[in-house]
Amino acid sequence: MPAKRSEKLVSFESQALPLMPQLYGAALRWTRNPSDAEDLVQETFAKAFGAWDKYQQGTNLKAWLFRIMTNTHINLYNKRNKDQAKTALDDLEDWQVGSGESITARTVRSAEAEAMDNLPATIIREALDQIPDEFRMVVYYAVVEGLPYAEIAEIMETPVGTVMSRLHRGKKMLRTLLQDYARQEGYELDGEEAES
Amino acid sequence: MKQVDCEDVKRNVHEFLHSELHEDQLEVITAHIANCDSCEEHYDIEIVFNQVIQRSCDEAPAEELAERVMKRLREIQDHD
């Protein structure tokens, strides 16, 4: 093992590296598979280490790393063109984005909550991975990381209003997918019994 | 935001749960939920939904990843 570690490496290692589990969690959602997620985490740390001099001590390190990850992912997979096409989704009207609301209007909600609670984690992750990247990542940062909208806006380089609408729509798309799955599994979500 | 109906309250569920509401909005909506079973249920299921998402995303990286990353960082350092 090489003995010499520069001061820069020592400070990076002690501050940034402990955030690896959080970076890996986000990377898994970006890439949707463990091996690409590991590559993305490694690239993100490499880029962050290169830019460590520019990191302002005392500012939000996790958000800084997440932002580097956003750019690294876009560069690694050269996805910019594809992403631009996808953001056309932002312009859709609510009624075009799944039917989440109209269904839930007559749903017995406790039944739905119970059904959701019983869905296997793999099914939830599969559903998450089916919604477009920008929506999935906003849901992830808001729900799993608990980040404020303003921080998510910086990480994703979008206005706060976009974060808000992507969270709403992302959750709606997710919920519609999970409702469909729960119904296939034989859960009754529509409350027929309650109505008769 | 003085008067709210169920639709307003339900539309603000994410802002409520993520502490993104202004104080006056928060007050009005909290008061509404306390007296409205339908909205309360709507909020409850969103809370369950969030917990389910959190649980499903709780995946730890392989232990080797830390070593891989450190190796890479040392290479970068030695290059400098």
Side-chain angles (χ1 to χ4, degrees), chain A residues 4 6 9 13 17 24 28 38-39 42-43 112 117 124-125 142-143 148-149 164 168 171 175, chain B residues 11 14-15 18 20 45-46 49-50 52-57 59 61 66 68 70 72-73 76-77:
Chain A
K4 299 168 288 174
S6 65
L9 184 53
E13 191 183 353
L17 243 40
Y24 180 72
L28 260 183
E38 291 191 358
D39 290 347
Q42 189 177 316
E43 282 308 307
E112 190 184 348
D117 210 22
I124 314 283
R125 289 198 293 267
V143 174
Y149 290 0
M164 216 166 117
H168 283 238
K171 296 251 343 240
R175 191 160 165 189
Chain B
R11 203 173 38 235
H14 301 301
E15 285 64 61
H18 295 285
E20 297 279 350
I45 191 172
E46 230 25 271
F49 193 16
N50 282 350
V52 166
I53 295 171
Q54 285 161 8
R55 232 170 30 219
S56 76
C57 288
E59 294 174 283
R68 270 181 62 191
M70 274 313 288
R72 178 76 189 278
L73 297 181
I76 296 171
Q77 174 191 258

Side-chain angles (χ1 to χ4, degrees), chain A residues 85-155:
Chain A
K86 272 183 196 158
T87 52
L89 255 175
D90 287 323
D91 301 329
L92 289 180
E93 296 296 327
D94 270 333
W95 59 268
Q96 293 170 296
V97 187
S99 45
E101 209 49 45
S102 59
I103 288 171
T104 53
R106 49 189 211 91
T107 292
V108 174
R109 295 208 163 81
S110 57
E112 190 184 348
E114 198 194 322
M116 289 232 186
D117 210 22
N118 284 319
L119 291 178
T122 48
I123 297 301
I124 314 283
R125 289 198 293 267
E126 267 171 38
L128 258 175
D129 289 351
Q130 279 180 53
I131 68 176
D133 290 2
E134 286 73 13
F135 293 75
R136 179 171 66 251
M137 292 315 294
V138 168
V139 170
Y140 182 84
Y141 287 133
V143 174
V144 180
E145 277 293 333
L147 300 180
Y149 290 0
E151 230 167 80
I152 300 172
E154 269 186 47
I155 291 165

